[in-house]
Amino acid sequence: MEYLNIALPKGRLGEKVYEMFEKIGYGCPAIREKNRSLIFENEENKVRYFWSKPSDVAIYVERGAADIGIVGKDILLEYEPDIYELLDLNIGKCRMCVAAKTTFRDNPEKTLRVATKFVNIARAHYAKKGRDIEICKLNGSIEIAPILGMTDVIVDIVETGTTLKENNLEVVESIVPISARLVANKASTKFKNQQIADIRRKLAGVIEND
Ligand code: PRP
């Protein structure tokens, strides 16, 4: 049997995801060793895990370097990669929101200035409302933009709401709920169907509902 390549998102979400794989019998003890290796194999299960930047998981899966992976719905909505979404894992839950300073009042006469990493999500959201916007693409710490008056609002992920609160910002609108999804490469879904279907079914069995 060929190895199944699995792209895991580096960080807290990745740890949770890996625990789910462990639970269904696809553990890989070497992954627990604290070192800086990025790729781990389990000969017995024929799985090969690698840690990638969360926003890159879909790229590895789309190109077939990974057969499956776990990626946030935010990335799927933003980049629309040509991959299959197999399962909502019900973890990494947050929402994509519009947020602004607590003193913000929208003036529909003026072009709205929007700071975000999620340019396509923001554009689609405001296009639906017929609202004129000007996007300021940033790569992180988006919250700073409205505080310094560079933009009127941000479109960003809100999880606990702490970042907004501690910066005197508040949610103006919720755009879409986000959670982690199991995704698969299209060709792998044909050629490694058995292995992928097995993992999908087993993961579905360990999803924790709230
Ligand atoms: C995300 C997001 C917010 C924060 C929200 O940032 O962009 O800044 O988490 O979480 P909270 O509602 O629980 O406070 P991330 O840590 O991914 O870093 P970033 O600033 O580089 O986007």
Side-chain angles (χ1 to χ4, degrees), residues 20 53 69 94 98 125 163:
M20 292 178 79
K53 218 177 155 181
C94 49
V98 177
H125 175 67
T163 310

Side-chain angles (χ1 to χ4, degrees), residues 142-159:
I142 319 293
E143 292 83 359
I144 296 169
I147 297 173
L148 298 182
M150 188 164 82
T151 66
D152 303 304
V153 300
I154 62 173
V155 166
D156 200 13
I157 281 166
V158 177
E159 191 181 352

